[in-house]
Amino acid sequence: MTEELISLAVIVLVAAACPIIAHSIPKKPIPETVFLLIAGALLGPNMAGVIDLSDSIKLLSELGLAFLFLLAGFEIDPKNITGHQGKRGFATWLVCLALGFAAVAGVSQVTPYFSLNDLGGVAVAIALGTTALGTLMPILKERNLIDTRVGDSVLAYGTWGELGPVIAMALLLSSRAEWKTIVVLLAFAAVAVLAAVIPAKACKTGSRIHRFLAENANTTSQTTMRVTVLLLVALVALSAVFDLDAVLGAFAAGFVLRYIIPSGNHDLEHKLDGIAFGFFIPVFFVVSGAKIDLKAVFDQPLLLAGFIVALLIIRAVPIYVSLSTDRETKTMSSHNRVSVALYCTTALPLIVAVTSVATKAGAMSSETASVLVAAGAITVLVMPLLAQLTYRVADVHPVETAKEVAQDPRHITDIVGDHIAFAELANEDLVEQSQRGKRKVDKAKARLEKQHKRHDLIEQAKAERRQRRVELHRELRQERDQKREELMRQLKEIDEKD
């Protein structure tokens, strides 16, 4: 018990320190999730050994994963599944899944790492088509991309990038016969539907139980919060009874909760965010990092790099092609389509889930699982960073900037500065919601005003020089005329004397 409490204390310390470290870096280019994973890997049993992965710690981690997928399922709008973009997202995920199986089949011919004949290869094929929507949601909120065209596309494609692999895990990573798995899934779905329909009807009719829950939601009873946690734990427990992955139960709980309160509940969401991101989800990420064997990762750099490249090819490229050929999204700028594809290539929680299933089945070594989880952690760092850089580079309009610099190379600093300032002002509607964003806008305005004043002074000096040149030429002509008249007068006087 003492070792478990010490490990938990270390995990909580890391969870408290990582946001401070992440926010101390200007513009926060690295999500705090990356710091949680790195700290877990360094303090875990494979390195410093400060964190002991006991059963109690693993249970807390599982609850963190459950809360992550509960929030992911709750955030999903039904139109992201059934709407036009949702259908495109589903078709694109099927393409990604097919490409994943093809890639594993091809690799199995030249390397002994994976094979479609065991669960390990199937797990990798599923992992190559995933999107960490639960991990992306905080990043999208921080960057104010929710309810934007880019954000809507990420949600549409990312929903199926998370929901599809969850279903595929239940169907393809089960040790049961296929027909038995389908029967179990149908039974689980029936229970989830009942858990959604009965409370939803109670809410519409205003039953006594519903009134009681609503009246005591903000008291010490915290009724709505307790019922939500009951829903989550019950469906996760049911998935365990049915020998399904906990991710499926948690995701179903999120859908059920969204069905019961389709318009959302700000108070409940705020409380869920507090308990989930305040404790359970950071525990999950730290423990996931602690499971990574860094030595195994460094011993297999080709596998690490190859998996990341495969994610880009199998997940990002089909999404970009789909966005470019869709009548509703092909009008998006190319850098926006690239940003959506990169965001949707962020993959971690489901990689942890599928590799855990394969490892428990003995179809994948813990060293290989560590490499794949590390690759997923790298995507959490690299993909959102690249997506953000794509935005910033495009907003500066590099082609127009280069043309202006070519025309006036002496003022390259002013020209580039103007474009950067204009880009920051163009994004005013995205950043003005935060105090930091307002300071950034004010700074951009001040910088732009200063540069405009300098530009005006330069233009004024040029105009004064041009005016002075005209005046000098006029004086010179007048002086020449006067001198010529004087010479002519003198000549005339000489002629008269002669």
Side-chain angles (χ1 to χ4, degrees):
M1 178 63 74
T2 303
E3 291 182 358
E4 292 174 346
L5 288 175
I6 292 174
S7 296
L8 183 59
V10 172
I11 292 172
V12 173
L13 174 62
V14 169
C18 284
I20 300 173
I21 298 172
H23 281 275
S24 64
I25 303 175
K27 299 183 179 180
K28 197 184 176 184
I30 304 176
E32 63 181 71
T33 301
V34 175
F35 291 103
L36 292 171
L37 292 165
I38 293 174
L42 294 176
L43 299 175
N46 296 307
M47 293 294 288
V50 179
I51 297 175
D52 179 36
L53 299 180
S54 63
D55 291 339
S56 301
I57 298 296
K58 289 180 180 178
L59 176 60
L60 291 174
S61 175
E62 286 292 317
L63 286 174
L65 179 64
F67 270 103
L68 185 65
F69 279 91
L70 168 75
L71 294 176
F74 183 69
E75 290 285 353
I76 292 175
D77 192 321
K79 70 179 182 180
N80 290 330
I81 300 176
T82 59
H84 175 74
Q85 274 208 86
K87 293 175 182 177
R88 297 279 298 191
F90 176 63
T92 303
W93 175 74
L94 290 178
V95 171
C96 294
L97 184 65
L99 291 175
F101 276 99
V104 172
V107 169
S108 64
Q109 303 297 321
V110 295
T111 179
Y113 278 128
F114 312 114
S115 172
L116 292 178
N117 295 325
D118 55 45
L119 290 181
V122 176
V124 172
I126 295 174
L128 287 170
T130 62
T131 295
L133 189 62
T135 306
L136 275 176
M137 288 307 298
I139 298 174
L140 296 177
K141 289 179 180 178
E142 287 177 1
R143 297 178 180 179
N144 299 299
L145 291 174
I146 301 297
D147 295 328
T148 65
R149 202 172 184 189
V150 170
D152 290 343
S153 297
V154 172
L155 289 177
Y157 285 86
T159 295
W160 282 109
E162 195 152 50
L163 178 59
V166 169
I167 298 173
M169 284 173 59
L171 289 172
L172 303 177
L173 297 183
S174 174
S175 57
R176 290 184 292 255
E178 291 184 2
W179 70 270
K180 291 182 179 179
T181 301
I182 294 175
V183 171
V184 168
L185 282 174
L186 291 175
F188 179 84
V191 174
V193 169
L194 288 175
V197 172
I198 295 175
K201 287 186 176 180
C203 290
K204 290 180 180 179
T205 57
S207 67
R208 182 179 300 177
I209 295 178
H210 174 258
R211 290 197 302 271
F212 172 79
L213 294 176
E215 290 171 358
N216 293 274
N218 294 316
T219 66
T220 54
S221 298
Q222 292 292 322
T223 49
T224 54
M225 188 65 190
R226 293 187 188 187
V227 172
T228 301
V229 174
L230 170 63
L231 172 67
L232 172 63
V233 175
L235 288 180
V236 169
L238 183 65
S239 64
V241 171
F242 285 168
D243 196 23
L244 299 169
D245 195 88
V247 168
L248 180 61
F251 216 59
F255 277 114
V256 170
L257 190 61
R258 171 58 70 181
Y259 183 82
I260 296 172
I261 45 175
S263 59
N265 184 314
H266 178 74
D267 290 338
L268 178 61
E269 292 173 35
H270 185 69
K271 294 170 186 176
L272 283 173
D273 285 344
I275 190 173
F277 290 105
F279 179 67
F280 286 105
I281 292 177
V283 170
F284 163 70
F285 283 119
V286 174
V287 172
S288 298
K291 293 178 181 179
I292 297 175
D293 186 351
L294 291 178
K295 184 178 182 301
V297 173
F298 291 129
D299 286 343
Q300 304 181 76
L302 292 179
L303 177 60
L304 179 70
F307 189 76
I308 295 173
V309 172
L311 276 171
L312 283 168
I313 296 173
I314 292 173
R315 186 64 180 149
V317 173
I319 290 176
Y320 181 82
V321 172
S322 177
L323 289 169
S324 301
T325 56
D326 184 11
R327 66 177 185 274
E328 292 187 1
T329 57
K330 65 182 181 181
T331 56
M332 292 174 64
S333 61
S334 58
H335 74 273
N336 279 342
R337 281 175 275 156
V338 171
S339 294
V340 172
L342 289 173
Y343 276 123
C344 289
T345 312
T346 303
L348 180 63
L350 278 173
I351 293 180
V352 174
V354 296
T355 53
S356 297
V357 173
T359 303
K360 289 177 183 177
M364 182 181 293
S365 66
S366 59
E367 291 79 10
T368 301
S370 292
V371 176
L372 299 187
V373 172
I378 291 173
T379 64
V380 175
L381 166 64
V382 174
M383 301 307 170
L385 182 60
L386 289 177
Q388 189 177 33
L389 288 176
T390 302
Y391 249 115
R392 290 182 177 178
V393 170
D395 286 340
V396 174
H397 301 291
V399 176
E400 295 179 10
T401 304
K403 289 180 179 178
E404 292 183 24
V405 170
Q407 294 174 358
D408 191 5
R410 292 178 300 175
H411 299 97
I412 180 173
T413 305
D414 294 336
I415 293 171
V416 173
D418 278 346
H419 277 270
I420 292 174
F422 273 123
E424 292 175 349
L425 289 176
N427 290 326
E428 181 175 352
D429 59 329
L430 298 179
V431 299
E432 66 180 359
Q433 299 175 13
S434 65
Q435 191 63 33
R436 183 179 176 186
K438 290 179 181 178
R439 290 197 300 268
K440 184 177 180 181
V441 171
D442 292 339
K443 185 178 179 181
K445 288 180 178 177
R447 180 180 178 184
L448 193 59
E449 184 178 357
K450 181 179 178 181
Q451 290 177 355
H452 281 172
K453 287 181 178 179
R454 182 178 178 182
H455 179 74
D456 291 342
L457 289 173
I458 293 173
E459 291 299 319
Q460 184 180 354
K462 289 181 178 179
E464 289 177 354
R465 286 197 296 270
R466 285 195 296 269
Q467 183 63 28
R468 180 58 179 160
R469 188 179 295 109
V470 171
E471 291 175 355
L472 288 174
H473 279 292
R474 186 183 300 116
E475 291 176 2
L476 182 61
R477 284 195 300 271
Q478 291 176 352
E479 186 176 341
R480 282 202 303 264
D481 291 343
Q482 292 175 357
K483 191 172 183 180
R484 184 171 59 185
E485 290 177 359
E486 178 65 23
L487 290 174
M488 291 297 292
R489 186 180 62 78
Q490 292 178 3
L491 285 173
K492 188 176 181 180
E493 289 177 356
I494 294 173
D495 290 340
E496 289 177 352
K497 290 180 181 179
D498 293 340

